[in-house]
């Protein structure tokens, strides 16, 4: 009987294959007492396992470096190698063996559980999920201690691949996947920023996580289909379903190879209008992906990522180096660097001294920067110093008042004056732009137009503030609707004001990278899109299919509608 399980889609694509269960070694650990006379031998057994796992990981790192170069995988392996030297794990486990006369694997699991508890208290979601590294490295050691090194099944005779079914997977486990015809993987646990998700995306292997009890519901060798786009796993599909998915898979593969061919094509519409496709980045290391996608530049560099997860703010020198690195990596292309957008869901470690009743409406973004003028001046000085190394544009987040713009421009003048006094060179004409992320800004654009050189619509926040739903709160996620008529009116209005006053306007929220909205935004008059680099080719494909002369009047009609179901239907029809 076929049945379907729903999880979180983390890596797109379709995989058809046979299940291979990867057991959870930690569940198989027994506790036993070690006699005094065997204690030294037990400690040596522990040390040997440590050495074996260390050399296994070092070997995997070398494979990762020579293979399809996954920097993420290399970094995870490094982290696990570091954990093998961490006294909190290794020395404490050794102490447990000596003091409690217990077996090595039991001691390791006890220590692991203690560390995992500590990780669970960390607020930062990324760091919290790093507890998976502790679990995975301990699991590896336990496997060695239990004498069951991981193995993968040989290639199947029916030509179908293997689908790994696991509780969780270590990135290092996945390195050998390519060589073993691994078609995809599914796991019980994991979130969108979990290791499994990150690695699946970098390996381009379809994956669904958070399926909860998948290991109990699937049997070894059972036929499975992963639909990584929709986040579903079909167990024991009928031959008709398999056939249908083979067809879909072939279509997707064709799509993907066609997309790659678009890399060097200019994003120009059918009626000859050139469109700019820019990238959103979080630091200098993202420049590689931006170049791979052949983006027209950077439309949003979220500089607050320099700050997050640390106790001290980076000084002027460190910031200067980061900004310069990005500017130098893309000569001749515009690089829009946004000043810090800290606060709300991007809190600083060292800065949370105050209880905030409602962080999304609190001291965030430009409000925070203006409340900390020394911090802001340091960033502005670093930015202007870096301006000599490329085509810099500076962007201010979350503006809602004219006086915020005035104060910002005043601080910019001060930063420039300081640099002149210090005899430091910089580009005097760096354009200063602002983000439209608050409905008040979208409704009172005159004050922006008079003071700024460009605008960028942050749809993520604009939707949150227009519909009064916290974008970080799962409980109201179903109310987050980019096609709400109020949201569309604000976006279209902003784009039109830009056209009227010849002020460049871009969209840099998630909407810009969703191909389902490309025609809608083009029809509103948008000519600059900024998105995650992995989305650029998909959006380019839409741009190449668009006929603006035909789209514009249809979108005007959509903007007059106020019935959500009709709007949705009409937006879908634009792409037909
Ligand atoms: C936005 O709000 O749409 C945006 C691009 O900024 P962030 O997602 O960083 O808040
Ligand atoms: Mg924002």
């Amino acid at each position: 009987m076929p049945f379907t399980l729903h999880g979180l889609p983390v890596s797109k694509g379709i995989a058809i294959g046979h299940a291979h269960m990867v057991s959870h070694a930690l569940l198989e650990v027994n506790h036993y007492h070690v006699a005094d006379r065997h204690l030294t031998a037990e400690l040596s057994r522990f040390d040997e396992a440590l050495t074996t796992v260390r050399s296994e990981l070092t070997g995997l790192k070398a494979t990762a470096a020579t293979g399809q170069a996954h920097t993420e995988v290399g970094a995870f392996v490094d982290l696990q190698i570091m954990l093998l030297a961490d006294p909190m794990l290794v020395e404490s486990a050794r102490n447990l063996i000596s003091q409690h006369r217990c077996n090595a694997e039991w001691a390791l699991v006890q220590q692991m559980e203690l560390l995992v508890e500590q990780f669970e208290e960390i607020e930062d979601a990324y760091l919290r999920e790093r507890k998976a590294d502790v679990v995975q490295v301990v699991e590896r050691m336990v496997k060695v201690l239990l004498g069951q090194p991981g193995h993968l099944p040989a290639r199947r005779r029916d030509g179908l691949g293997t689908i790994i079914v696991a509780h969780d997977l270590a990135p290092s486990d996945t390195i050998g996947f390519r060589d073993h015809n691994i078609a995809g993987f599914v796991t019980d646990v994991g979130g969108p920023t979990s290791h499994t998700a990150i690695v699946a995306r970098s390996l381009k292997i379809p994956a669904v996580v958070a399926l909860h009890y998948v290991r109990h519901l699937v049997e070894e060798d059972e036929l499975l289909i992963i639909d990584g786009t929709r986040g579903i796993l079909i167990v024991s599909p009928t031959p008709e379903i398999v056939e249908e998915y083979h067809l879909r898979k072939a279509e997707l593969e064709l799509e993907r190879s066609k997309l790659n061919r678009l890399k060097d094509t200019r994003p120009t519409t059918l009626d000859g209008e050139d469109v700019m496709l820019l990238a959103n980045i979080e630091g200098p290391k993202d420049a590689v992906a931006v170049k791979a996608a052949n983006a027209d530049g950077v439309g949003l560099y979220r500089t607050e990522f320099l700050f997050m997860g640390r106790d001290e703010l980076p000084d002027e020198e460190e910031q200067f180096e980061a900004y310069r690195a990005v500017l130098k990596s893309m000569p001749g292309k515009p690089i829009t660097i946004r000043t810090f957008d800290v606060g709300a869901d991007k809190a600083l470690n060292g800065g949370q001294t105050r209880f905030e009743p409602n962080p999304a409406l609190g001291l965030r973004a430009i409000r925070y920067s203006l409340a900390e003028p020394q911090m802001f001046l340091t960033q502005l000085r670093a930015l202007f110093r870096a301006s000599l190394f490329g085509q810099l544009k500076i962007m201010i987040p979350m503006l809602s008042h004219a006086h915020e713009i005035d104060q910002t421009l005043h601080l910019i003048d001060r930063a420039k004056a300081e640099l002149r006094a210090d005899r430091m060179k910089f580009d005097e004409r760096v354009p200063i732009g602002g983000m439209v992320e608050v409905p008040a800004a979208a409704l009172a654009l005159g004050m922006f137009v008079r003071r700024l050189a460009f605008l960028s619509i942050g749809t993520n926040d604009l939707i949150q503030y227009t519909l009064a739903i916290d974008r970080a709160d799962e409980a109201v996620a179903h109310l987050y609707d980019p096609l709400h008529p109020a949201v569309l009116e604000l976006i279209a209005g902003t784009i039109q004001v830009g056209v009227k006053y010849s002020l460049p306007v871009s969209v840099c929220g998630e909407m810009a990278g969703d191909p389902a909205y490309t025609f809608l935004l083009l029809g509103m008059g948008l000519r600059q899109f900024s998105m995650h680099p992995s989305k650029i080719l998909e959006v380019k494909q839409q741009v190449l299919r668009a006929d603006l002369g035909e789209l514009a009047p249809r979108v005007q009609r959509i903007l007059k509608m106020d019935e959500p179901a009709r709007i949705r239907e009409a937006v879908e029809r634009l792409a037909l």
Side-chain angles (χ1 to χ4, degrees), residues 63-304:
T63 318
T66 52
Q68 302 262 333
H70 311 300
T71 15
E72 293 97 336
V73 176
F76 295 148
V77 176
D78 272 342
L79 211 128
Q80 297 194 0
I81 293 176
M82 260 166 60
L83 281 170
L84 287 176
D86 192 327
M88 279 297 282
L89 181 67
V90 179
E91 277 319 302
S92 309
R94 285 184 112 258
N95 288 344
L96 276 178
I97 302 173
S98 317
Q99 283 161 16
H100 295 270
R101 311 274 188 274
C102 64
N103 52 322
E105 42 281 67
W106 181 257
L108 261 174
V109 173
Q110 296 312 299
Q111 197 49 31
M112 175 202 82
E113 280 173 358
L114 202 84
L115 291 177
V116 163
E117 254 172 51
Q118 292 171 0
F119 267 96
E120 257 151 22
E121 277 160 24
I122 300 179
E123 278 209 4
D124 182 295
Y126 180 80
L127 286 179
R128 197 170 52 237
E129 285 188 11
R130 299 294 73 81
K131 70 173 184 252
D133 284 297
V134 181
V135 176
Q136 285 156 1
V137 88
V138 167
E139 194 167 17
R140 234 170 217 289
M141 274 193 75
V142 168
K143 276 185 195 161
V144 172
L145 286 164
L146 295 174
Q148 40 167 272
H151 71 96
L152 288 167
R155 286 177 183 267
R156 312 258 175 189
R157 252 181 264 137
D158 64 4
L160 290 179
T162 297
I163 291 182
I164 300 288
V165 180
H167 178 70
D168 197 4
L169 282 173
S172 47
D173 292 333
T174 63
I175 293 173
F177 279 9
R178 261 181 207 290
D179 309 331
H180 286 86
N181 201 16
I182 302 299
F185 46 93
V186 289
T187 58
D188 282 340
V189 297
T193 60
S194 68
H195 281 155
T196 326
I198 297 170
V199 173
R201 283 195 291 267
S202 86
L203 289 170
K204 298 197 167 68
I205 289 180
V208 177
V209 302
L211 283 161
H212 302 294
Y213 300 106
V214 64
R215 285 186 336 125
H216 299 280
L217 299 170
V218 170
E219 281 171 22
E220 180 73 21
D221 232 23
E222 206 163 4
L223 192 60
L224 301 176
I225 298 176
I226 300 177
D227 183 337
T229 311
R230 290 197 287 164
I232 58 176
L233 177 74
I234 307 173
V235 185
S236 273
T238 60
E240 292 75 31
I241 300 178
V242 175
E243 186 53 36
E244 189 195 318
Y245 270 90
H246 270 304
L247 281 175
R248 275 205 220 174
K249 190 167 180 287
E251 275 167 21
L252 279 179
E253 273 156 19
L254 197 69
E255 280 290 295
R256 201 174 273 178
S257 66
K258 270 201 223 148
L259 271 185
N260 277 331
R261 277 190 255 142
L262 298 181
K263 197 185 145 203
D264 297 319
T265 311
R266 266 303 318 148
T268 308
T269 61
L270 288 175
D271 37 359
E273 186 91 27
D274 195 60
V275 174
M276 272 184 106
L277 299 182
L278 303 150
N280 291 354
I281 64 167
E282 287 164 10
K285 64 176 183 355
D286 295 334
V288 181
V290 179
K291 281 196 228 162
N294 202 7
D296 291 323
V298 169
L300 168 66
Y301 172 2
R302 293 179 160 105
T303 55
E304 58 278 7

Side-chain angles (χ1 to χ4, degrees), residues 338 341 364 435 437 461 471:
R338 177 173 78 181
D341 180 9
R364 175 184 171 193
M435 288 192 72
E437 308 188 84
D461 277 315
R471 64 195 251 203

